[in-house]
Amino acid sequence: QVQLQESGPGLVKPSETLSLTCAVSGYSISSGYYWGWIRQPPGKGLEWIGSIYHSGSTYYNPSLKSRVTISVDTSKNQFSLKLSSVTAADTAVYYCAMCLDSSGYYYYWGQGTLVTVSS
Amino acid sequence: QSVLTQPPSVSGAPGQRVTISCTGSSSNIGAGYDVHWYQQLPGTAPKLLIYGNSNRPSGVPDRFSGSKSGTSASLAITGLQAEDEADYYCQSYDSSLSGLYVFGTGTKVTVL
């Protein structure tokens, strides 16, 4: 059974960089598939942030592309999200998830972590 | 603002059938891209319900079914149960600048 677990600061100051890591167990990232980040502002819907293929190719939401970096560390079997120049609008629950093919469906999800942007 | 539109809410009595629509355009559903559906219970992560328009992952009851036609897709829940009360989201690929992968606006299902 594949399991994903997000970790990182729950509070980030405006204009700083949000950094989250997703630890994967039960499957080796280097073996394949896409690994993504999705967020959900409190009381709102889901927004796709971006994803990374096991080989390192990245795909980003055009609306966030200038601020987002997703990377993978196969030695630690984890992947990471960095979102720069955050504002209150970036306050959300951030989920990491495993995507099984290019059609984009996410089969396994982490439990999510709330990140609040506030001074 | 999502490019996939869903009704904000639908409701039904236990045992009834409800459907949730997901309306897109020629740059996503209408272009032939697959539609996927997720169920999100309160306070939990989304769970994949339907992938590739009509396929159910292992463990998902056959009360849930998906279909696609033209620029729209639908999720049907038959034999509605109290445990089905949740938010439901559709998802697809969009070839415009709106974003590579997009989610629908979400629908709250209430069991009366």
Side-chain angles (χ1 to χ4, degrees), chain A residues 37-117:
Chain A
W37 290 95
I38 298 100
R39 70 180 182 179
Q40 184 172 34
K44 297 187 178 180
L46 301 169
E47 180 181 33
W48 179 74
I49 299 172
S51 61
I52 186 166
Y53 193 48
H54 70 98
S55 61
S57 299
T58 52
Y59 310 86
Y60 298 136
N61 186 326
S63 68
L64 299 170
K65 188 174 183 177
S66 63
R67 300 193 291 130
V68 173
T69 302
I70 297 176
S71 59
V72 63
D73 185 339
T74 54
S75 67
K76 294 182 178 179
N77 212 39
Q78 64 187 32
F79 61 105
S80 300
L81 168 71
K82 290 188 185 300
L83 181 65
S84 64
S85 304
V86 298
T87 68
D90 295 310
T91 294
V93 174
Y94 285 76
Y95 296 100
C96 62
M98 177 183 181
C99 174
L100 294 194
D101 72 26
S102 59
S103 72
Y105 65 90
Y106 288 92
Y107 198 98
Y108 296 103
W109 293 66
Q111 64 184 26
T113 186
L114 174 63
V115 179
T116 301
V117 178

Coordinates of all heavy atoms in Angstrom, one line a residue, chain A residues 37-117:
Chain A
W37 N 1.3 18.0 -6.5 CA 0.8 18.8 -5.4 C -0.5 19.5 -5.8 O -0.7 20.0 -6.9 CB 1.8 19.9 -5.0 CG 3.1 19.4 -4.4 CD1 4.2 19.0 -5.0 CD2 3.3 19.1 -3.0 NE1 5.2 18.6 -4.1 CE2 4.6 18.6 -2.9 CE3 2.5 19.2 -1.9 CZ2 5.1 18.2 -1.7 CZ3 3.0 18.8 -0.7 CH2 4.3 18.3 -0.6
I38 N -1.5 19.4 -4.9 CA -2.8 20.0 -5.1 C -3.1 20.8 -3.8 O -2.7 20.3 -2.7 CB -3.9 18.9 -5.3 CG1 -3.6 18.1 -6.5 CG2 -5.3 19.6 -5.3 CD1 -2.9 16.8 -6.3
R39 N -3.8 21.9 -3.9 CA -4.1 22.7 -2.7 C -5.6 23.0 -2.6 O -6.3 23.0 -3.6 CB -3.2 24.0 -2.6 CG -3.6 25.0 -3.6 CD -2.7 26.3 -3.4 NE -3.0 27.3 -4.3 CZ -2.4 28.5 -4.3 NH1 -1.3 28.7 -3.5 NH2 -2.7 29.4 -5.2
Q40 N -6.0 23.3 -1.4 CA -7.4 23.7 -1.2 C -7.6 24.8 -0.1 O -7.4 24.5 1.0 CB -8.2 22.4 -0.8 CG -9.7 22.6 -0.6 CD -10.4 21.3 -0.3 OE1 -9.9 20.4 0.3 NE2 -11.6 21.1 -0.9
P41 N -7.8 26.0 -0.6 CA -8.1 27.1 0.4 C -9.2 26.7 1.3 O -10.2 26.0 0.9 CB -8.4 28.3 -0.5 CG -7.8 28.0 -1.8 CD -7.9 26.5 -1.9
P42 N -9.2 27.2 2.5 CA -10.3 26.9 3.5 C -11.7 27.1 2.9 O -11.9 28.3 2.4 CB -10.0 27.8 4.7 CG -8.5 28.0 4.6 CD -8.2 28.0 3.2
G43 N -12.5 26.1 2.9 CA -13.9 26.3 2.4 C -14.0 26.4 0.9 O -15.1 26.6 0.4
K44 N -13.0 26.2 0.2 CA -13.0 26.3 -1.3 C -12.6 25.0 -2.0 O -12.5 23.9 -1.3 CB -12.1 27.4 -1.7 CG -12.5 28.8 -1.2 CD -11.7 29.9 -1.8 CE -12.2 31.3 -1.3 NZ -11.4 32.4 -1.9
G45 N -12.6 25.0 -3.3 CA -12.3 23.8 -4.1 C -10.8 23.5 -4.3 O -10.0 24.2 -3.7
L46 N -10.6 22.5 -5.1 CA -9.2 22.0 -5.3 C -8.6 22.7 -6.4 O -9.2 23.1 -7.4 CB -9.3 20.5 -5.6 CG -9.9 19.6 -4.6 CD1 -10.2 18.2 -5.2 CD2 -9.0 19.5 -3.4
E47 N -7.3 23.0 -6.3 CA -6.5 23.6 -7.3 C -5.2 22.8 -7.5 O -4.4 22.6 -6.6 CB -6.1 25.1 -6.9 CG -5.3 25.8 -8.0 CD -4.9 27.2 -7.7 OE1 -4.7 27.4 -6.5 OE2 -4.8 28.0 -8.6
W48 N -5.0 22.4 -8.8 CA -3.8 21.7 -9.2 C -2.6 22.6 -9.2 O -2.7 23.7 -9.9 CB -4.0 21.0 -10.5 CG -2.8 20.2 -11.0 CD1 -2.3 19.0 -10.5 CD2 -1.9 20.6 -12.0 NE1 -1.2 18.7 -11.2 CE2 -0.9 19.6 -12.2 CE3 -1.8 21.8 -12.9 CZ2 0.1 19.7 -13.1 CZ3 -0.8 21.8 -13.8 CH2 0.2 20.8 -13.9
I49 N -1.5 22.3 -8.5 CA -0.3 23.2 -8.4 C 0.7 22.8 -9.5 O 1.2 23.6 -10.2 CB 0.3 23.2 -7.1 CG1 -0.6 23.7 -6.0 CG2 1.6 24.0 -7.1 CD1 -0.1 23.5 -4.6
G50 N 1.0 21.5 -9.5 CA 1.9 21.0 -10.5 C 2.3 19.5 -10.2 O 1.9 19.0 -9.2
S51 N 3.2 19.0 -11.0 CA 3.6 17.6 -10.8 C 5.0 17.4 -11.4 O 5.5 18.2 -12.2 CB 2.6 16.6 -11.4 OG 2.5 16.8 -12.8
I52 N 5.6 16.3 -11.0 CA 6.9 15.9 -11.5 C 6.9 14.5 -11.9 O 6.4 13.6 -11.2 CB 8.0 16.3 -10.5 CG1 9.4 16.0 -11.0 CG2 7.8 15.5 -9.2 CD1 10.5 16.7 -10.2
Y53 N 7.5 14.2 -13.1 CA 7.6 12.8 -13.5 C 8.9 12.2 -12.7 O 9.7 12.9 -12.3 CB 7.8 12.7 -15.0 CG 7.6 11.3 -15.6 CD1 6.6 10.5 -15.3 CD2 8.6 10.9 -16.5 CE1 6.4 9.3 -15.8 CE2 8.4 9.6 -17.1 CZ 7.4 8.8 -16.7 OH 7.2 7.6 -17.3
H54 N 8.9 10.9 -12.6 CA 10.0 10.3 -11.9 C 11.3 10.6 -12.5 O 12.4 10.6 -11.8 CB 9.8 8.8 -11.8 CG 10.0 8.1 -13.1 ND1 11.2 7.5 -13.4 CD2 9.2 7.9 -14.2 CE1 11.1 6.9 -14.6 NE2 9.9 7.2 -15.1
S55 N 11.4 10.9 -13.7 CA 12.6 11.3 -14.4 C 13.1 12.7 -14.2 O 14.2 13.1 -14.5 CB 12.5 11.1 -15.9 OG 11.5 11.9 -16.4
G56 N 12.2 13.5 -13.6 CA 12.5 14.9 -13.3 C 11.8 15.9 -14.1 O 11.8 17.1 -13.8
S57 N 11.0 15.5 -15.1 CA 10.3 16.5 -15.9 C 9.2 17.1 -15.1 O 8.5 16.4 -14.3 CB 9.6 15.8 -17.1 OG 10.6 15.3 -18.0
T58 N 9.0 18.4 -15.2 CA 8.0 19.1 -14.3 C 6.9 19.7 -15.2 O 7.1 20.1 -16.3 CB 8.7 20.2 -13.5 OG1 9.5 21.0 -14.3 CG2 9.6 19.6 -12.4
Y59 N 5.8 19.9 -14.5 CA 4.6 20.4 -15.2 C 3.9 21.3 -14.1 O 3.6 20.9 -13.0 CB 3.6 19.3 -15.6 CG 4.3 18.3 -16.4 CD1 4.9 17.2 -15.8 CD2 4.3 18.3 -17.8 CE1 5.6 16.2 -16.5 CE2 5.0 17.3 -18.5 CZ 5.6 16.3 -17.9 OH 6.2 15.3 -18.6
Y60 N 3.7 22.6 -14.5 CA 3.2 23.5 -13.5 C 1.9 24.2 -14.0 O 1.7 24.4 -15.2 CB 4.2 24.6 -13.2 CG 5.5 24.1 -12.6 CD1 6.7 24.6 -13.1 CD2 5.5 23.2 -11.6 CE1 7.9 24.2 -12.5 CE2 6.7 22.8 -11.0 CZ 7.9 23.3 -11.5 OH 9.1 22.8 -11.0
N61 N 1.0 24.6 -13.0 CA -0.1 25.4 -13.3 C 0.4 26.7 -13.8 O 1.1 27.4 -13.1 CB -1.0 25.6 -12.0 CG -2.3 26.3 -12.2 OD1 -2.4 27.2 -13.1 ND2 -3.3 25.9 -11.5
P62 N -0.1 27.1 -15.0 CA 0.4 28.4 -15.6 C 0.2 29.6 -14.6 O 1.0 30.5 -14.6 CB -0.4 28.6 -16.9 CG -0.7 27.2 -17.3 CD -0.9 26.4 -16.0
S63 N -0.8 29.6 -13.8 CA -1.1 30.7 -13.0 C -0.2 30.8 -11.8 O -0.1 31.8 -11.1 CB -2.6 30.6 -12.4 OG -2.7 29.5 -11.5
L64 N 0.6 29.7 -11.5 CA 1.5 29.7 -10.4 C 3.0 29.5 -10.9 O 3.9 29.5 -10.1 CB 1.2 28.6 -9.4 CG -0.2 28.6 -8.8 CD1 -0.5 27.3 -8.0 CD2 -0.3 29.8 -7.8
K65 N 3.1 29.2 -12.2 CA 4.4 28.8 -12.7 C 5.6 29.6 -12.3 O 6.7 29.1 -12.1 CB 4.3 28.7 -14.2 CG 5.5 28.0 -14.9 CD 5.3 27.9 -16.4 CE 6.5 27.1 -17.0 NZ 6.2 26.9 -18.5
S66 N 5.4 30.9 -12.3 CA 6.5 31.8 -12.0 C 7.0 31.7 -10.5 O 8.1 32.2 -10.2 CB 6.1 33.3 -12.3 OG 5.1 33.7 -11.4
R67 N 6.2 31.1 -9.7 CA 6.5 31.0 -8.2 C 6.8 29.6 -7.7 O 7.2 29.4 -6.6 CB 5.4 31.6 -7.4 CG 5.2 33.1 -7.7 CD 4.3 33.7 -6.6 NE 2.9 33.2 -6.6 CZ 2.3 32.8 -5.5 NH1 2.9 32.8 -4.4 NH2 1.0 32.4 -5.6
V68 N 6.5 28.6 -8.6 CA 6.6 27.2 -8.1 C 7.8 26.4 -8.6 O 8.2 26.6 -9.7 CB 5.3 26.5 -8.6 CG1 5.4 25.0 -8.3 CG2 4.1 27.0 -8.0
T69 N 8.3 25.6 -7.7 CA 9.4 24.7 -8.0 C 9.0 23.3 -7.4 O 8.8 23.3 -6.2 CB 10.8 25.1 -7.6 OG1 11.1 26.4 -8.2 CG2 11.8 24.1 -8.0
I70 N 9.0 22.3 -8.2 CA 8.8 20.9 -7.6 C 10.0 20.1 -8.0 O 10.5 20.1 -9.1 CB 7.5 20.3 -8.2 CG1 6.3 21.0 -7.8 CG2 7.4 18.8 -7.7 CD1 5.0 20.5 -8.4
S71 N 10.5 19.4 -7.0 CA 11.7 18.6 -7.2 C 11.6 17.3 -6.5 O 10.7 17.1 -5.7 CB 13.0 19.3 -6.6 OG 12.8 19.6 -5.2
V72 N 12.4 16.3 -6.9 CA 12.4 15.0 -6.4 C 13.7 14.6 -5.8 O 14.8 14.9 -6.4 CB 11.9 14.0 -7.4 CG1 12.8 13.9 -8.6 CG2 11.6 12.6 -6.8
D73 N 13.7 13.9 -4.7 CA 15.0 13.3 -4.1 C 14.8 11.8 -4.0 O 14.2 11.3 -3.1 CB 15.2 13.9 -2.8 CG 16.5 13.5 -2.1 OD1 17.1 12.5 -2.6 OD2 17.0 14.2 -1.2
T74 N 15.3 11.1 -5.0 CA 15.0 9.7 -5.1 C 15.8 8.9 -4.0 O 15.3 7.9 -3.5 CB 15.4 9.1 -6.4 OG1 16.8 9.5 -6.7 CG2 14.5 9.6 -7.5
S75 N 16.9 9.5 -3.5 CA 17.6 8.9 -2.4 C 16.9 8.8 -1.1 O 17.0 7.9 -0.3 CB 19.0 9.6 -2.2 OG 18.8 10.9 -1.7
K76 N 16.0 9.8 -0.9 CA 15.2 9.8 0.3 C 13.7 9.4 0.0 O 12.9 9.4 0.9 CB 15.2 11.2 0.9 CG 16.5 11.7 1.4 CD 16.4 13.1 2.0 CE 17.7 13.6 2.6 NZ 17.7 14.9 3.1
N77 N 13.5 9.1 -1.3 CA 12.1 8.7 -1.7 C 11.1 9.8 -1.3 O 10.0 9.5 -0.7 CB 11.7 7.3 -1.2 CG 10.8 6.6 -2.2 OD1 11.0 6.7 -3.4 ND2 9.8 5.9 -1.7
Q78 N 11.4 11.0 -1.7 CA 10.5 12.1 -1.4 C 10.5 13.1 -2.5 O 11.5 13.2 -3.3 CB 10.8 12.7 0.0 CG 12.2 13.4 0.0 CD 12.6 13.8 1.4 OE1 12.2 13.3 2.4 NE2 13.3 14.9 1.5
F79 N 9.5 14.0 -2.5 CA 9.5 15.1 -3.5 C 9.0 16.3 -2.7 O 8.4 16.2 -1.7 CB 8.7 14.8 -4.7 CG 7.2 14.5 -4.5 CD1 6.3 15.5 -4.8 CD2 6.8 13.3 -4.0 CE1 4.9 15.2 -4.6 CE2 5.4 13.0 -3.8 CZ 4.5 14.0 -4.1
S80 N 9.4 17.5 -3.3 CA 9.2 18.7 -2.5 C 8.5 19.8 -3.4 O 8.5 19.8 -4.6 CB 10.5 19.2 -2.1 OG 11.1 18.3 -1.2
L81 N 7.9 20.7 -2.7 CA 7.2 21.9 -3.3 C 7.8 23.2 -2.7 O 8.0 23.3 -1.4 CB 5.7 21.9 -3.0 CG 4.9 23.1 -3.3 CD1 4.9 23.4 -4.8 CD2 3.6 23.1 -2.7
K82 N 8.2 24.1 -3.5 CA 8.5 25.4 -3.1 C 7.7 26.4 -3.8 O 7.6 26.4 -5.0 CB 10.0 25.7 -3.3 CG 11.0 24.9 -2.4 CD 12.4 25.4 -2.6 CE 13.4 24.5 -1.8 NZ 13.1 24.5 -0.4
L83 N 7.1 27.3 -3.0 CA 6.2 28.4 -3.6 C 6.7 29.7 -3.0 O 6.7 29.9 -1.8 CB 4.7 28.2 -3.2 CG 3.7 29.2 -3.7 CD1 3.6 29.1 -5.2 CD2 2.4 28.9 -3.1
S84 N 7.2 30.6 -3.9 CA 7.8 31.8 -3.4 C 6.9 33.0 -3.4 O 5.7 32.9 -3.9 CB 9.0 32.2 -4.4 OG 8.5 32.4 -5.7
S85 N 7.3 34.0 -2.7 CA 6.5 35.3 -2.6 C 5.1 35.0 -2.2 O 4.1 35.5 -2.9 CB 6.6 36.0 -4.0 OG 7.9 36.2 -4.3
V86 N 4.9 34.3 -1.2 CA 3.5 33.9 -0.8 C 2.7 35.1 -0.2 O 3.3 36.1 0.3 CB 3.5 32.8 0.2 CG1 4.1 31.5 -0.4 CG2 4.2 33.2 1.5
T87 N 1.4 35.1 -0.4 CA 0.5 36.0 0.2 C -0.6 35.3 0.9 O -0.6 34.0 0.9 CB -0.1 36.9 -0.9 OG1 -1.0 36.1 -1.7 CG2 0.9 37.5 -1.8
A88 N -1.5 36.0 1.5 CA -2.6 35.4 2.3 C -3.4 34.4 1.3 O -4.0 33.5 1.8 CB -3.5 36.4 2.9
A89 N -3.4 34.7 0.1 CA -4.2 33.9 -0.9 C -3.6 32.5 -1.1 O -4.3 31.6 -1.6 CB -4.2 34.6 -2.3
D90 N -2.4 32.3 -0.6 CA -1.8 31.0 -0.7 C -2.1 30.1 0.6 O -1.6 29.0 0.7 CB -0.3 31.1 -0.8 CG 0.1 31.8 -2.2 OD1 -0.4 31.3 -3.2 OD2 0.9 32.8 -2.1
T91 N -2.8 30.7 1.5 CA -3.3 29.9 2.7 C -4.2 28.8 2.2 O -5.2 29.0 1.5 CB -4.0 30.8 3.7 OG1 -3.1 31.7 4.2 CG2 -4.6 29.9 4.8
A92 N -3.8 27.6 2.5 CA -4.6 26.4 2.0 C -4.1 25.1 2.7 O -3.0 25.1 3.3 CB -4.4 26.3 0.5
V93 N -4.9 24.1 2.5 CA -4.4 22.7 2.8 C -3.7 22.2 1.6 O -4.2 22.3 0.5 CB -5.6 21.8 3.2 CG1 -5.0 20.4 3.3 CG2 -6.3 22.2 4.5
Y94 N -2.5 21.8 1.8 CA -1.6 21.3 0.6 C -1.6 19.8 0.7 O -1.2 19.2 1.7 CB -0.2 21.9 0.7 CG -0.2 23.4 0.3 CD1 -0.7 24.4 1.1 CD2 0.2 23.8 -1.0 CE1 -0.7 25.7 0.8 CE2 0.2 25.1 -1.4 CZ -0.3 26.1 -0.5 OH -0.3 27.4 -0.9
Y95 N -1.9 19.2 -0.4 CA -1.9 17.7 -0.5 C -0.8 17.3 -1.5 O -0.7 17.9 -2.6 CB -3.2 17.2 -1.1 CG -4.4 17.4 -0.2 CD1 -5.3 18.4 -0.5 CD2 -4.7 16.6 0.9 CE1 -6.5 18.6 0.3 CE2 -5.8 16.8 1.6 CZ -6.7 17.8 1.4 OH -7.8 18.0 2.1
C96 N -0.1 16.2 -1.2 CA 0.7 15.6 -2.2 C 0.0 14.3 -2.6 O -0.8 13.7 -1.9 CB 2.1 15.3 -1.7 SG 2.3 14.2 -0.3
A97 N 0.2 13.9 -3.9 CA -0.5 12.8 -4.4 C 0.3 12.1 -5.5 O 1.2 12.7 -6.1 CB -1.9 13.2 -4.9
M98 N -0.1 10.9 -5.8 CA 0.5 10.0 -6.8 C -0.4 9.9 -8.0 O -1.6 9.5 -7.8 CB 0.9 8.7 -6.2 CG 1.5 7.7 -7.2 SD 1.7 6.1 -6.3 CE 2.5 5.1 -7.6
C99 N 0.1 10.2 -9.2 CA -0.7 10.2 -10.4 C -0.2 9.0 -11.2 O 1.0 8.9 -11.5 CB -0.5 11.5 -11.1 SG -1.3 11.5 -12.7
L100 N -1.1 8.1 -11.6 CA -0.7 6.9 -12.3 C -0.5 7.0 -13.8 O 0.1 6.1 -14.4 CB -1.8 5.8 -12.0 CG -1.9 5.4 -10.5 CD1 -2.7 4.1 -10.4 CD2 -0.5 5.2 -9.9
D101 N -1.0 8.0 -14.4 CA -0.7 8.2 -15.8 C -0.9 9.6 -16.3 O -1.4 10.5 -15.5 CB -1.4 7.2 -16.7 CG -2.9 7.5 -16.9 OD1 -3.4 8.6 -16.7 OD2 -3.7 6.5 -17.2
S102 N -0.6 9.9 -17.6 CA -0.7 11.3 -18.1 C -2.1 11.8 -18.2 O -2.2 13.0 -18.4 CB 0.0 11.3 -19.4 OG -0.6 10.5 -20.3
S103 N -3.1 11.0 -18.0 CA -4.4 11.6 -18.0 C -4.7 12.4 -16.7 O -5.7 13.1 -16.7 CB -5.5 10.5 -18.2 OG -5.6 9.7 -17.0
G104 N -3.9 12.2 -15.7 CA -3.9 13.1 -14.6 C -4.6 12.7 -13.4 O -4.8 13.5 -12.5
Y105 N -5.1 11.4 -13.3 CA -5.8 11.1 -12.1 C -4.9 10.7 -10.9 O -3.9 10.0 -11.1 CB -6.9 10.0 -12.3 CG -6.4 8.7 -12.7 CD1 -6.1 7.7 -11.7 CD2 -6.2 8.3 -14.1 CE1 -5.6 6.5 -12.1 CE2 -5.7 7.1 -14.4 CZ -5.4 6.2 -13.4 OH -5.0 4.9 -13.8
Y106 N -5.3 11.2 -9.7 CA -4.5 11.0 -8.5 C -5.1 9.8 -7.7 O -6.2 9.9 -7.2 CB -4.3 12.3 -7.7 CG -3.4 13.3 -8.4 CD1 -3.9 14.2 -9.3 CD2 -2.0 13.2 -8.2 CE1 -3.1 15.1 -9.9 CE2 -1.2 14.1 -8.9 CZ -1.7 15.0 -9.7 OH -0.9 15.9 -10.4
Y107 N -4.3 8.7 -7.6 CA -4.8 7.5 -7.0 C -4.6 7.5 -5.5 O -5.5 7.2 -4.7 CB -4.2 6.3 -7.6 CG -4.9 5.0 -7.4 CD1 -5.7 4.5 -8.4 CD2 -4.8 4.3 -6.2 CE1 -6.4 3.3 -8.2 CE2 -5.4 3.1 -6.0 CZ -6.3 2.6 -7.0 OH -6.9 1.4 -6.8
Y108 N -3.4 7.9 -5.1 CA -3.0 7.9 -3.7 C -2.8 9.4 -3.2 O -2.2 10.2 -4.0 CB -1.8 7.1 -3.4 CG -1.9 5.6 -3.7 CD1 -1.4 5.1 -4.8 CD2 -2.6 4.8 -2.8 CE1 -1.5 3.7 -5.1 CE2 -2.8 3.5 -3.1 CZ -2.2 2.9 -4.2 OH -2.3 1.6 -4.5
W109 N -3.3 9.7 -2.1 CA -3.2 11.1 -1.5 C -2.6 11.1 -0.1 O -2.8 10.1 0.6 CB -4.6 11.7 -1.5 CG -5.2 12.0 -2.7 CD1 -5.7 11.1 -3.7 CD2 -5.5 13.3 -3.3 NE1 -6.2 11.7 -4.7 CE2 -6.2 13.1 -4.5 CE3 -5.3 14.6 -2.9 CZ2 -6.6 14.1 -5.4 CZ3 -5.8 15.7 -3.7 CH2 -6.4 15.4 -4.9
G110 N -1.8 12.1 0.2 CA -1.5 12.3 1.6 C -2.7 12.9 2.3 O -3.7 13.2 1.8
Q111 N -2.5 13.0 3.6 CA -3.6 13.5 4.5 C -3.8 15.0 4.4 O -4.8 15.5 4.7 CB -3.4 13.1 5.9 CG -2.2 13.8 6.6 CD -1.9 13.3 8.0 OE1 -2.3 12.2 8.3 NE2 -1.3 14.1 8.8
G112 N -2.8 15.7 3.8 CA -2.9 17.1 3.7 C -2.3 17.9 4.9 O -2.3 17.4 6.0
T113 N -1.7 19.1 4.6 CA -1.2 19.9 5.7 C -1.6 21.3 5.5 O -1.5 21.8 4.4 CB 0.4 19.8 5.8 OG1 0.8 20.5 6.9 CG2 1.0 20.3 4.5
L114 N -2.1 22.0 6.5 CA -2.6 23.3 6.4 C -1.4 24.3 6.6 O -0.6 24.2 7.5 CB -3.6 23.6 7.5 CG -4.0 25.1 7.7 CD1 -4.8 25.5 6.4 CD2 -4.9 25.3 8.9
V115 N -1.3 25.2 5.6 CA -0.2 26.2 5.6 C -0.9 27.5 5.7 O -1.7 27.9 4.8 CB 0.7 26.1 4.4 CG1 1.7 27.2 4.5 CG2 1.4 24.8 4.4
T116 N -0.7 28.3 6.7 CA -1.2 29.6 6.8 C -0.2 30.7 6.5 O 0.9 30.6 7.0 CB -1.8 29.8 8.3 OG1 -2.8 28.8 8.5 CG2 -2.4 31.2 8.4
V117 N -0.5 31.7 5.7 CA 0.4 32.8 5.4 C -0.1 34.0 6.2 O -1.2 34.5 6.0 CB 0.4 33.1 3.9 CG1 1.3 34.3 3.7 CG2 0.8 31.9 3.1

